[in-house]
Amino acid sequence: MFSIIWTCVIIYIVYRTVIKRNGTHNKGAGTGRPPEIRTTPVKHREQRSTRPPQRTNVQQPVKKPEAKAGSTMAYLEEKAKQDQAEHAREKWEETKRLNQNYGGFRVAQRLFEGDSVPGGQKCVACGYCGAENLIPMMPRERYSCYFCREPLR
């Protein structure tokens, strides 16, 4: 008889502990409404800690000295920016020159010495300067020489 009472007491304690952990104790019980459901995610044990972690012998990051107006690094950075801007401008001018229409003619592509002719294109020699140019096999437009801009036949 004594063991039955102890078993009932232990079951009751376990039941109360489970109810407290779930947070459903007296929430909606007997009122005809469903119990509240927690929608916040459960935090991991590492995140539950309220005190900040202890810092031991941590060195502060070393700050770089700021570049002075007359320093070598400032000069090199400025020079790099100027070179980059000049390179971008030259590339833009070259692209503009290649894509420009000359008298209704598109500019042909350059064939470098030793390169093979890609598929779908043919090599045409300029009648004026003799340079080799690449144009499509079945051109829809007329092309001019890459170098001298003379019309190709």
Side-chain angles (χ1 to χ4, degrees):
M1 177 76 169
F2 189 64
S3 63
I4 294 174
I5 295 174
W6 276 109
T7 307
C8 290
V9 169
I10 292 173
I11 290 174
Y12 179 74
I13 292 171
V14 170
Y15 173 75
R16 296 288 291 171
T17 307
V18 170
I19 293 296
K20 285 181 182 179
R21 283 192 182 168
N22 288 339
T24 58
H25 182 66
N26 288 336
K27 289 185 180 178
T31 59
R33 61 182 177 144
E36 293 180 18
I37 299 172
R38 290 193 296 174
T39 58
T40 57
V42 178
K43 296 182 178 179
H44 296 288
R45 290 182 188 197
E46 297 85 32
Q47 294 176 345
R48 276 192 241 165
S49 176
T50 56
R51 61 183 179 152
Q54 297 291 331
R55 299 182 91 183
T56 57
N57 298 334
V58 178
Q59 295 180 351
Q60 296 296 328
V62 178
K63 295 182 180 178
K64 292 183 179 179
E66 296 181 16
K68 297 177 183 175
S71 72
T72 305
M73 290 301 292
Y75 169 76
L76 291 175
E77 288 175 0
E78 185 64 30
K79 181 69 173 158
K81 288 178 184 178
Q82 289 175 357
D83 289 346
Q84 185 179 12
E86 183 180 345
H87 177 70
R89 184 174 54 254
E90 288 174 356
K91 188 172 183 176
W92 176 79
E93 289 173 355
E94 180 68 16
T95 304
K96 181 180 173 186
R97 184 180 73 83
L98 289 176
N99 294 334
Q100 189 174 3
N101 240 348
Y102 287 94
F105 299 110
R106 285 188 52 110
V107 178
Q109 292 179 355
R110 178 181 181 183
L111 178 66
F112 292 99
E113 189 174 340
D115 285 351
S116 61
V117 178
Q121 293 187 340
K122 64 181 179 179
C123 178
V124 177
C126 177
Y128 182 76
C129 68
E132 296 178 336
N133 297 279
L134 288 175
I135 61 171
M137 282 286 208
M138 304 291 238
R140 297 180 184 161
E141 301 173 355
R142 297 196 57 199
Y143 285 85
S144 64
C145 178
Y146 177 85
F147 296 101
C148 65
R149 303 295 190 246
E150 286 292 315
L152 297 173
R153 296 182 234 177

